[in-house]
Amino acid sequence: MSYELNRKLAAARGPLPTTASIDPVTADIIRGAFETVCFESATYLGRAASSPIINQSNERNAAIVDAHGRLAMGAVGTPHLTFVNQMETRWGLMNQDRYDWGPGDVFLANDPDHGGGHLPDYCVYGPVYDEAGELICIQTLQAHQGDTGGKDPGGFSLDATDVFTEGVIYPCLKLVHRGELRRDVFDTVVRNNRFATFAGDIAAMIGGVQYAVRMLDELIARWGSGVIKAAINQSIEHTEKRVREEVARWPDGSYEATVFIDHDTAGTKDVKVHVTCTIAGDQLTVDLTGTDDRPELVGVWNTFANTRSYVMCQVVAAMDPTIVKNEGYFNAIEIVVPEGCIAQPPPNKPAALGSFHPACEITEAVCIALSNVAPERSQPQLYKIGMPNMVVGFDDNGMMWMDQGVDCRSMDVSAVEGLDGWGSCPSALGSLILSEAEDAESRFPILNISREMTTDGGGAGQWRGAPGSLNVKQVLKPTSAMAWMVSAEHPLRGMCGGDDAIPYTNHFEVGSDNERKIAHTAQDLLPQGAVIAYQHGGGGGFGLPLLRDPEAVKEDVLDEYVSVAAARAKYGVVLTGSLDDYTLGVDHAATEALRAEMSGLAEAAE
C-alpha cells in the first residue's frame, strides 16, 4: 500500500480551472505577493518560536500549495523542507472530506509514510477559501522539532527497527477547527513531547499559518480567485519552461555517480547510493536504480518524499537561481526511485537518521553526475555529519534539556568551478543558520572551549574546498551523549579532479584516561567535566590541484588554510621565506619544474 500511495502522491497534477486571463506582469506581482506571504509566515515563526533550532538555526520553511496539491511558492528556510511540503499536504487533500476541511482549520502532519520526511519535521498547514467556499490554496509551515515523544530524546534512535520507536506519528491531525483551538488535541500533542519549549514552538507554527492565511484572504479578495488561480498556473508553467530550457543547453547523455555511506547504525559497511542522470533534449531523468536495497540495513532509510526533495535540491542548485521554485521543476524532471531501496523503503521503516544519510549521499551523487554538464554550479547541497554530537541531561528541577549540536562550525563547503569553498557554515541547506555558541552556553550546562578551522581540512584543487572545523566542547554536568559517525571512510568527494575533504573524527572524554575515538556509534554517559572533540570534514576541491594559481596557494598558506608541506605535496608549489614572519614568496621556476615532475609521475601511474 505504501508504494501505491507514493505513486499517487507523486503523480503530476493539472492546472487549476479558471476562465480568467492574466498578463505576465500581473502574474509576477501575485507571485511576488505569495513570496512575501511565505517570508512573513516564516519570519513570524522564527520570532515567536521558543527553540533555538527554529528561532536561531532557521530550520523552518513556509510554502504555498494550490488546491490540486502543486507547490505554488516556497521561500525562506531550508530548501529540502520546501520540496517536501506538497507531499504531506496532498495526503490531507486526498482525505479532506474525511477530516472535514473548512475555513479557519489548521492541521498537523509528520508521517513519513504519508508524504512526510522524518518525524521531527512537523508540517502545520491551513486551507484558504474564497468567498464562494472554493478551496484555492493551502498555507504550510515546516519546522524541525527537538523531540517527537519516541524511545530516545530527539527522535534519533540508533537501534530503531521501525518508525514507531522514533515517536508519535500524525498523518493528518486537526489542531484548530473553524478558528477555534482544539484544546484537547493541542494538549495531547504537547504532552507527547519531552521539552517545555515545544508548546511555544507548535503555538508559533499555528500562529504563523493563521497570519499567512489572513494575508492570502486579502489577496484573493483584492484580485479575485480566478486571477489568483491563473497566476499560479502561469508561474508553474513558466518555471517548467525555464527548467527545460536549462536542460536543453546541457549535452545529451547519461552521467552516473556512486557514493557510499561508511556503515549503517548496526555496522553494515559500504551502504551504496547510485544515480544516473540522463539528458535527452529538454528532458532530465534522475534515476536511483542501483541504490542499496538490503533488507537487513538499519537506520539508513530515507522516505520517498524526502528523496524527491533532496534530489530536487541538488538539481535546483545546478540551474539558474532566478528560476522560481515551484511545481514546474517536478513537471520538467522525472525522478525514478526503485521501490524497496533505501531511498523508498517499505512501510514503517525508521526515518529519523535517513534525513542525514542516505539523503546527503543522494544529493552528493546527483551533484557528481551533473558536474559533467554544469561544473560552474556543482556545489553539493549536503551535510556529511552522520548525526551531531547530541548531549542530553536534566536540570535541577527535573526538566530535560538537549543540546542538539546544530551550532556554529565549518564543514562540507566545497569549491565550484571558479570559486573556492567559502564561509564558516555549510551551504548545504541554503538558509540554515547554525546557532550561536554563546546562546547554547546560556541555555545548557556546556562550555564551548574552541572552534577553529583545521589547516589542510579542505580538499585540494584548482579551486580549494573550505577547511572543516574542530569543535571542542565540555559538559558541566553528567550527561548522555549520542553519535553516529560516518564520512571517515567515505568523506566528501572532490569534483572534476579535485581532492576529497578530510574525514570526520570524533573523540569523547578527551584528555582523560578514558579518552576514546567514536568509530561507529555511541550512546554514552559522560561524567561532569568531560570534553568531546568533533572534527568536521571540509569541502571537496574542484579541478586538478596542480592547476591552482601558485600565488593563491601562497595566500592560502598565509591564511593557514593550507600548510607549507601541503603546498608542495598537493599543489606542487615551492615557497621561499618563512610563514612565521610572513615573508613567504613563490619560487616560480622551481614550482614549474616540480609541477612538471608531478604531472609526469601522475601520467606514468595511469
Side-chain angles (χ1 to χ4, degrees):
M1 176 59 186
S2 174
Y3 301 139
E4 180 184 350
L5 177 60
N6 286 341
R7 289 192 289 271
K8 290 179 179 178
L9 291 174
R13 311 295 174 93
L16 298 173
T18 179
T19 58
S21 59
I22 193 167
D23 62 89
V25 174
T26 302
D28 209 43
I29 289 171
I30 293 173
R31 180 207 59 77
F34 272 26
E35 188 172 358
T36 298
V37 169
C38 288
F39 177 84
E40 293 286 344
S41 180
T43 302
Y44 182 109
L45 172 59
R47 291 181 175 177
S50 304
S51 298
I53 199 167
I54 300 175
N55 63 27
Q56 278 197 60
S57 295
N58 203 35
E59 195 163 348
R60 55 190 167 86
N61 165 76
I64 297 171
V65 177
D66 75 11
H68 283 180
R70 303 181 303 168
L71 180 65
M73 172 56 63
V76 184
T78 57
H80 78 284
L81 294 179
T82 297
F83 292 123
V84 79
N85 267 2
Q86 76 271 44
M87 295 286 280
E88 285 180 291
T89 311
R90 281 181 180 183
W91 193 84
L93 274 168
M94 290 164 56
N95 294 275
Q96 59 180 299
D97 292 338
R98 179 179 179 181
Y99 290 100
D100 185 24
W101 281 34
D105 290 349
V106 178
F107 298 91
L108 165 65
N110 75 335
D111 191 337
D113 292 323
H114 291 80
H118 63 178
L119 289 184
D121 288 339
Y122 278 37
C123 179
V124 174
Y125 60 89
V128 183
Y129 298 82
D130 66 8
E131 291 184 355
E134 180 186 1
L135 177 66
I136 305 301
C137 60
I138 302 104
Q139 176 66 46
T140 76
L141 268 177
Q142 284 230 17
H144 184 100
Q145 298 296 340
D147 187 56
T148 54
K151 168 181 170 287
D152 295 303
F156 298 111
S157 296
L158 297 170
D159 57 353
T161 55
D162 58 37
V163 71
F164 305 104
T165 311
E166 297 179 328
V168 185
I169 308 164
Y170 305 108
C172 181
L173 185 68
K174 186 182 285 190
L175 299 174
V176 178
H177 178 73
R178 308 301 192 264
E180 294 294 326
L181 180 68
R182 299 181 67 189
R183 175 58 66 178
D184 55 341
V185 175
F186 182 85
D187 288 349
T188 299
V189 172
V190 171
R191 184 69 181 95
N192 279 281
N193 195 285
R194 289 175 171 86
F195 299 115
T197 55
F198 175 73
D201 292 340
I202 199 71
M205 294 187 76
I206 293 171
V209 167
Q210 291 175 324
Y211 177 58
V213 167
R214 291 195 296 270
M215 296 179 71
L216 290 169
D217 286 340
E218 293 172 1
L219 277 175
I220 294 170
R222 177 178 179 181
W223 294 98
S225 58
V227 172
I228 294 292
K229 290 190 288 184
I232 293 172
N233 291 341
Q234 196 274 350
S235 182
I236 291 173
E237 291 165 6
H238 183 65
T239 289
E240 180 179 358
K241 177 176 179 290
R242 289 201 61 192
V243 171
R244 291 190 180 278
E245 289 172 349
E246 289 269 319
V247 173
R249 296 188 189 100
W250 295 344
D252 285 0
S254 291
Y255 307 94
E256 298 186 44
T258 299
V259 179
F260 289 94
I261 309 167
D262 293 9
H263 44 245
D264 70 357
T265 57
T268 306
K269 290 185 175 298
D270 295 335
V271 182
K272 182 176 74 171
V273 170
H274 183 80
V275 168
T276 302
C277 293
T278 301
I279 299 161
D282 67 354
Q283 180 64 54
L284 169 63
T285 301
V286 180
D287 188 347
L288 274 70
T289 299
T291 294
D292 218 323
D293 60 0
R294 287 175 284 178
E296 68 268 22
L297 295 173
V298 179
V300 285
W301 302 97
N302 194 41
T303 70
F304 176 64
N306 237 17
T307 293
R308 293 175 78 249
S309 178
Y310 276 81
V311 166
M312 196 56 70
C313 284
Q314 192 61 58
V315 170
V316 164
M319 295 189 179
D320 187 335
T322 64
I323 299 175
V324 178
K325 283 68 176 174
N326 61 32
E327 195 71 23
Y329 268 99
F330 290 99
N331 292 343
I333 296 161
E334 182 182 7
I335 301 174
V336 179
V337 187
E339 296 173 354
C341 76
I342 58 175
Q344 188 180 183
N348 299 324
K349 285 290 187 180
L353 292 171
S355 282
F356 294 101
H357 307 279
C360 289
E361 283 68 29
I362 290 169
T363 58
E364 186 177 6
V366 172
C367 185
I368 293 170
L370 292 182
S371 69
N372 293 283
V373 297
E376 73 284 359
R377 296 197 59 80
S378 294
Q379 213 287 342
Q381 304 299 295
L382 52 77
Y383 41 104
K384 295 274 283 186
I385 194 171
M387 64 180 290
N389 270 339
M390 192 167 67
V391 181
V392 182
F394 292 88
D395 290 326
D396 293 338
N397 61 6
M399 293 298 296
M400 179 177 284
W401 57 267
M402 179 170 64
D403 175 12
Q404 290 192 311
V406 186
D407 41 29
C408 52
R409 58 183 178 260
S410 173
M411 54 177 270
D412 301 332
V413 183
S414 292
V416 295
E417 185 178 59
L419 188 66
D420 294 336
W422 61 93
S424 58
C425 69
S427 60
L429 292 180
S431 296
L432 183 68
I433 303 169
L434 300 176
S435 59
E436 298 173 352
E438 294 83 358
D439 180 82
E441 290 178 346
S442 71
R443 294 172 182 264
F444 312 123
I446 61 169
L447 178 65
N448 291 288
I449 296 174
S450 63
R451 311 238 161 143
E452 56 185 332
M453 289 185 176
T454 303
T455 301
D456 296 331
Q462 185 175 3
W463 294 280
R464 171 193 42 74
S469 63
L470 177 64
N471 286 18
V472 182
K473 178 184 297 186
Q474 184 178 37
V475 297
L476 304 181
K477 290 185 176 182
T479 63
S480 62
M482 294 176 61
W484 172 34
M485 289 307 301
V486 298
S487 306
E489 299 296 326
H490 301 291
L492 183 57
R493 298 265 291 275
M495 299 281 174
C496 301
D499 286 355
D500 296 348
I502 62 170
Y504 277 73
T505 58
N506 195 7
H507 290 79
F508 282 5
E509 297 191 58
V510 176
S512 74
D513 293 339
N514 199 31
E515 179 174 346
R516 57 199 178 276
K517 180 180 180 180
I518 308 304
H520 174 235
T521 56
Q523 194 161 6
D524 297 355
L525 293 175
L526 299 179
Q528 180 177 333
V531 174
I532 55 180
Y534 202 139
Q535 174 63 63
H536 298 270
F542 190 101
L544 295 172
L546 294 182
L547 297 178
R548 185 166 179 78
D549 180 354
E551 292 294 331
V553 175
K554 182 195 75 175
E555 293 300 319
D556 287 342
V557 174
L558 288 169
D559 290 333
E560 299 183 23
Y561 292 145
V562 175
S563 67
V564 173
R568 184 182 185 94
K570 293 285 188 180
Y571 293 97
V573 174
V574 180
L575 296 173
T576 62
S578 169
L579 176 60
D580 294 336
D581 57 10
Y582 299 99
T583 59
L584 286 181
V586 177
D587 186 331
H588 289 280
T591 294
E592 186 175 347
L594 178 58
R595 285 184 163 186
E597 178 186 349
M598 293 172 69
S599 296
L601 291 173
E603 291 174 3
E606 293 176 357

